[in-house]
Amino acid sequence: MRGAKLALVLVALLIGQTVIAPRFSFLGITPDLVLVTVIVFSVLGRRDEGLAFSVLAGLGRDLVSRGGYWHTVLLVLISTLIVNFREELKSDEYALTAGLVAFCCPLYFLVEALIIWFSSGQGLAMELVIRQLTAGTIYNLLLVPLCFPLLRRIIDVDR
């Protein structure tokens, strides 16, 4: 039952990221539901659950978007760091999630911009990168109050 529920969350997440999130684009910035959800699962879920979800979410995102599976690598790296160090970061789970979104989003966007820059061989528009770093992080922080309670309910139901 738990696996089916998580698979359903993953399918809904990928549909939300590819179909719904672009409709809420603001100044060219689209919310990153996958990144926020991986962070929430890594904070709330069991270690193996957070890592497995990050692998599947990354693979799903790479399959429905451009990229050479670097979303998978980045999401697994982020999830691994979170599940390994969340005990040392003794904090309220909600505050920890919001702090990790605020910390991980700019890094994720920066690495994404660098990967695109290196792979395309074109110039990097710093104005767009800075806008993505700041506005994208704020946008994703606004997702935390929406995603956290919903995912907490889904994760805690089967415990």
Side-chain angles (χ1 to χ4, degrees), residues 33 36 94 139-151:
L33 296 170
V36 173
Y94 184 83
Y139 211 161
N140 287 337
L141 279 169
L142 293 174
L143 290 176
V144 173
L146 300 172
C147 294
F148 187 87
L150 177 65
L151 293 172

Side-chain angles (χ1 to χ4, degrees), residues 16 21 60 78 92 116 119 130 135 139 146 149:
I78 288 169
D92 173 51
I116 292 170
S119 64
I130 291 170
Y139 211 161
L146 300 172

Side-chain angles (χ1 to χ4, degrees), residues 35-49:
L35 178 59
V36 173
T37 304
V38 165
I39 291 171
V40 172
F41 262 93
S42 298
V43 169
L44 295 178
R46 296 184 310 252
R47 176 184 170 81
D48 57 337
E49 184 177 76

Side-chain angles (χ1 to χ4, degrees), residues 72-100:
T72 305
V73 172
L74 290 176
L75 290 173
V76 170
L77 180 63
I78 288 169
S79 180
T80 301
L81 291 172
I82 292 170
V83 299
N84 285 329
F85 293 108
R86 67 182 174 195
E87 296 302 319
E88 285 81 21
L89 300 172
K90 303 261 187 238
S91 177
D92 173 51
E93 291 173 333
Y94 184 83
L96 180 60
T97 300
L100 287 168

Side-chain angles (χ1 to χ4, degrees), residues 19-76:
V19 177
I20 299 168
R23 296 188 187 276
F24 291 98
S25 179
F26 181 72
L27 298 174
I29 308 297
T30 303
D32 196 336
L33 296 170
V34 175
L35 178 59
V36 173
T37 304
V38 165
I39 291 171
V40 172
F41 262 93
S42 298
V43 169
L44 295 178
R46 296 184 310 252
R47 176 184 170 81
D48 57 337
E49 184 177 76
L51 292 172
F53 189 82
S54 68
V55 170
L56 295 174
L59 286 172
R61 180 157 186 189
D62 282 324
L63 289 173
V64 298
S65 67
R66 63 186 165 116
Y69 296 100
W70 54 269
H71 287 289
T72 305
V73 172
L74 290 176
L75 290 173
V76 170

